[in-house]
Amino acid sequence: MSYRQARYDEPLIFEMEGENDFCLMNDDEVNVPEGMVRKELCLPEVPEMEVVRHYVNLSQMNFGVDNGMYPLGSCTMKYNPKYADKLSSLPEVTSVHPCQDEDSIQGALCLMRELEKALCAISMMDAVTLQPAAGAQGEFTGMLIAKAYHADRGQTRTEVIVPDSAHGTNPASAAMAGYTVIEVPSGQDGCVDLEALEAALSERTAAVMVTNPNTLGLFEKDIVRMAEMVHAAGALLYYDGANLNAIMGTTSPGTMDFDIVHFNLHKTFATPHGGGGPGAGPVGVKKFLEPYLPVPRIVSDEGRYRLDYERTDSIGKVRSMFGNFAVLVRAYAYIIAQGGDGLKETSQRAVLNSNYLKSKVVAAYDMPFAQLRKHEFVVSARRLAKEKGVHATDVAKALLDRGFMSPTVYFPSLVEEALMIEPTESESKDTLDRYAQALLDIAAGDPADIKASPRYTSVSRVDEVYAAKELILSWRIYQRKAGLK
Amino acid sequence: MSEVPAELRYTKDHEWTRVEGDMATVGITDHAQGELTEFVYVQLPKEGDRLSKGDVLAIVESVKNTADVYAPVSGEVVAVNGPLDDDPSQINRSPYDNGWIARIKMSEPGELDKLMDASAYRKHIGE
């Protein structure tokens, strides 16, 4: 074991000594209404060089996919290629403004239209909006589309069905759109229980949200039958695109007869995970739902692109302007660089890596629903917990000391002591072997030693309960809690 | 081994019920709190809520998971353990005593027959 993470006693930037190195416009120049001008501003006063050192030091105490393997299941932390960063940093991307004249942003509009077409081709859907700023917002957009569709047909449908293995965002998005969420259990094989689905479907069902492959990494093999059942009930079938990374070029949501799909560009098309933004969660629909997509739509008339706001059935805007353009540029660059064959190979490698890693770790970790996986798999640390008192969270912390990011733990919740591992297509066989060995070493290790980890990271085991109870999210809150102000 | 008091009734979803007359005091078991780890938040019902058996009575949240607590019997919520709002970890420290969640005035006491006794629950959790 030779991993050591940088550890500095880095103060908060607000706590750093410095001179007043910034100036603000004086009141005469800014048109701020009476009574709203603040006399005191709580801003750090630190020279540029100190700021640079501060953030470089912090970055060295961090861990990302550029540091090492990051197999956070469900999140798909695939490598973000540098060419995509480079292209999205071009002035043609960074210096355009969404309020510019259409004639002066033809290139940007063309790129977005071409990206829509590429996403249609990959998903086999008929129309795509790029507007939603994240996967979850895409889900919400999809739910609003379902609502508009049923309303148009004079139907009041109040329920949305989600399997118990679904991402938490599914029930949240449905509830935000005003729907009552009905949960259906998984069967013995880890897939949706068809009898339970049949029992849950009714004339109240607006949509059924399905992730395929699901969060256990299992392909819902009865998906065609499920689509028939959902459509027979007059409901729409929604595809959570979180795991699209596993099936590109082999099958598609359109082929499986889904009606609405959202894409997580950061998962499948290697754009950065935003840490809260900016992101992109385009939504694709079948032809009959196209009228409901958010405005504006990008249309081309004889080689000239324009923005069409005249869509009477549209659900309206879900985000300002056109979405996060620089993220869209990265995804488009990735799709073009990979090409059709490359995308298919990407998915195949993701599945191969996952199954290879799985085959190496099952010696020490239980495998619920043991069968071939897609791009990710879930094992259980149940045996370790019972025999040695070493829980999934301890395994996760011990991995940090070995230079690897932890897998997702305790999700999906239908698996006890769950470790959800997604190596992605990017990792080499050598890295996968080292990760597997780390997991086996931890299982065989001294429990006291494992439970004392991490020791070699910039911070040791954090008090998660305290962090969840005492939310300190800003300098202002910190000062208040510390009794400084 | 977790604590499973002999005088209580249990559900497969790990709620316990203490019966006094037509009143049922409800909480979650020692086994459940141990699995979920320390609670950081609890969403309590309101006095006067009318629930059917199986309805969501409360929501408990730990750093590990969020879980629904279901009403083990039908009836009206007549008392709620308010102090849990400020200190949800009372459920962890004292699941059968200070950690009670709500008191339900039962509308269908016959439902009690469907609940498990301590030995059946102990078997259910594999102890």
Side-chain angles (χ1 to χ4, degrees):
Chain A
M1 197 194 308
S2 60
Y3 180 75
R4 292 283 187 289
Q5 194 169 37
R7 183 183 291 183
Y8 304 111
D9 292 323
E10 196 67 24
L12 295 174
I13 195 149
F14 289 98
E15 296 171 319
M16 290 171 71
E17 296 288 328
E19 295 156 30
N20 189 329
D21 203 37
F22 62 89
C23 68
L24 298 167
M25 285 187 282
N26 69 41
D27 295 351
D28 308 336
E29 293 169 46
V30 240
N31 199 8
V32 180
E34 197 78 30
M36 298 193 76
V37 180
R38 289 197 286 172
K39 293 281 171 249
E40 237 181 296
L41 282 179
C42 183
L43 292 173
E45 300 181 16
V46 186
E48 178 178 323
M49 187 185 68
E50 297 299 326
V51 174
V52 170
R53 287 176 180 163
H54 175 71
Y55 285 107
V56 169
N57 286 353
L58 288 185
S59 76
Q60 290 177 351
M61 294 200 289
N62 206 346
F63 188 93
V65 77
D66 285 1
N67 294 98
M69 188 170 164
Y70 208 126
L72 200 61
S74 180
C75 297
T76 317
M77 305 298 285
K78 60 163 77 176
Y79 176 67
N80 302 161
K82 298 304 167 213
Y83 65 77
D85 277 347
K86 195 172 167 187
L87 289 168
S88 69
S89 307
L90 293 173
E92 287 84 347
V93 176
T94 57
S95 301
V96 289
H97 193 280
C99 292
Q100 270 175 238
D101 206 43
E102 277 171 11
D103 284 328
S104 68
I105 51 169
Q106 285 293 305
L109 295 176
C110 169
L111 185 146
M112 289 195 284
R113 182 71 193 104
E114 290 301 312
L115 176 58
E116 286 181 4
K117 286 199 234 166
L119 293 176
C120 280
I122 292 164
S123 63
M124 298 293 277
M125 303 303 278
D126 298 318
V128 163
T129 174
L130 304 174
Q131 208 177 90
Q137 201 192 9
E139 292 177 26
F140 180 61
T141 304
M143 289 298 102
L144 294 183
I145 290 170
K147 214 166 196 183
Y149 165 75
H150 291 303
D152 249 10
R153 292 158 57 93
Q155 295 187 349
T156 313
R157 291 175 174 252
T158 54
E159 295 175 356
V160 167
I161 297 173
V162 298
D164 61 358
S165 63
H167 295 105
T169 46
N170 288 180
S173 301
M176 268 191 74
Y179 286 116
T180 302
V181 176
I182 309 290
E183 188 180 283
V184 291
S186 303
Q188 293 295 322
D189 57 356
C191 292
V192 173
D193 182 336
L194 290 190
E195 277 177 33
L197 177 63
E198 187 68 65
L201 282 166
S202 72
E203 72 286 350
R204 294 183 302 278
T205 313
V208 179
M209 302 178 87
V210 177
T211 311
N212 197 16
N214 65 25
T215 58
L216 290 162
L218 294 166
F219 191 81
E220 296 280 355
K221 59 190 186 320
D222 297 321
I223 190 62
V224 174
R225 176 82 195 102
M226 283 162 67
E228 285 167 7
M229 289 161 61
V230 170
H231 291 144
L236 298 174
L237 188 59
Y238 183 93
Y239 185 81
D240 177 330
N243 294 342
L244 182 67
N245 188 40
I247 60 167
M248 283 186 294
T250 299
T251 184
S252 70
T255 309
M256 295 184 258
D257 219 8
F258 281 87
D259 303 298
I260 311 175
V261 42
H262 84 258
F263 306 83
N264 300 86
L265 295 191
H266 58 287
K267 295 184 183 189
T268 306
F269 303 106
T271 65
H273 281 243
V283 169
V285 294
K286 287 281 171 66
K287 193 81 192 160
F288 70 101
L289 294 172
E290 186 178 7
Y292 306 106
L293 288 175
V295 284
R297 304 285 303 139
I298 302 164
V299 290
S300 75
D301 300 327
E302 293 161 15
R304 184 184 176 278
Y305 295 91
R306 64 179 179 84
L307 297 164
D308 182 7
Y309 287 85
E310 305 302 315
R311 303 271 171 141
T312 46
D313 292 330
S314 165
I315 60 165
K317 286 183 80 66
V318 295
R319 193 195 177 278
S320 58
M321 305 304 174
F322 322 127
N324 284 317
F325 181 57
V327 177
L328 304 176
V329 172
R330 284 181 172 90
Y332 185 64
Y334 181 79
I335 289 170
I336 294 299
Q338 299 282 323
D341 293 342
L343 290 174
K344 182 172 183 174
E345 201 187 319
T346 291
S347 285
Q348 289 173 335
R349 281 196 63 143
V351 173
L352 179 63
N353 279 1
S354 158
N355 282 286
Y356 177 71
L357 190 55
K358 181 201 83 170
S359 73
K360 301 211 93 173
V361 305
V362 286
Y365 298 87
D366 290 341
M367 182 84 195
F369 317 111
Q371 50 184 294
L372 198 68
R373 296 297 151 135
K374 290 295 175 212
H375 62 303
E376 65 192 359
F377 60 96
V378 180
V379 289
S380 169
R382 186 174 46 195
R383 225 180 329 144
L384 274 181
K386 210 155 238 168
E387 288 165 11
K388 301 168 86 172
V390 171
H391 294 268
T393 189
D394 301 315
V395 175
K397 303 293 183 190
L399 279 166
L400 301 179
D401 266 348
R402 288 158 175 80
F404 297 109
M405 181 45 79
S406 314
T408 298
V409 290
Y410 302 117
F411 179 80
S413 52
L414 65 155
V415 174
E416 207 183 323
E417 297 289 339
L419 294 161
M420 187 186 199
I421 303 174
E422 178 175 8
T424 81
E425 67 279 6
S426 322
E427 300 297 344
S428 66
K429 178 175 174 294
D430 177 55
T431 307
L432 297 178
D433 286 340
R434 287 190 295 110
Y435 193 81
Q437 194 55 51
L439 275 168
L440 299 178
D441 289 348
I442 291 165
D446 169 31
D449 184 58
I450 300 301
K451 291 181 90 69
S453 55
R455 293 192 179 90
Y456 306 108
T457 46
S458 56
V459 291
S460 55
R461 209 174 272 223
V462 292
D463 186 341
E464 293 174 1
V465 172
Y466 182 77
K469 278 181 175 172
E470 297 290 329
L471 295 178
I472 300 174
L473 305 171
S474 68
W475 173 238
R476 218 177 284 178
I477 299 174
Y478 174 77
Q479 282 179 306
R480 198 163 59 229
K481 297 238 179 190
L484 297 173
K485 213 169 184 182
Chain B
M1 280 282 261
S2 60
E3 201 191 333
V4 183
E7 72 277 17
L8 305 182
R9 302 291 232 153
Y10 300 89
T11 66
K12 66 173 177 37
D13 296 314
H14 314 290
E15 291 90 11
W16 58 259
T17 305
R18 178 182 289 123
V19 182
E20 287 150 303
D22 61 352
M23 220 52 100
T25 304
V26 177
I28 62 171
T29 64
D30 187 28
H31 171 77
Q33 71 79 18
E35 287 291 311
L36 288 164
T37 72
E38 187 173 345
F39 295 119
V40 296
Y41 177 75
V42 55
Q43 186 178 313
L44 296 167
K46 285 187 202 63
E47 282 177 27
D49 282 356
R50 282 174 189 281
L51 299 168
S52 297
K53 177 186 163 85
D55 285 353
V56 175
L57 172 73
I59 299 170
V60 288
E61 184 177 333
S62 69
V63 289
K64 196 168 140 183
N65 211 337
T66 300
D68 289 338
V69 179
Y70 302 104
V73 289
S74 306
E76 182 185 341
V77 176
V78 291
V80 172
N81 188 4
L84 293 182
D85 261 339
D86 287 332
D87 185 11
S89 61
Q90 272 191 30
I91 299 174
N92 303 95
R93 292 195 301 275
S94 173
Y96 299 110
D97 200 1
N98 292 338
W100 67 278
I101 291 173
R103 216 159 268 149
I104 298 174
K105 187 172 163 42
M106 290 182 283
S107 55
E108 289 169 55
E111 288 169 346
L112 289 171
D113 299 341
K114 297 266 168 62
L115 302 180
M116 286 181 263
D117 63 13
S119 74
Y121 180 69
R122 205 174 269 291
K123 207 170 281 171
H124 174 63
I125 59 177
E127 286 184 356

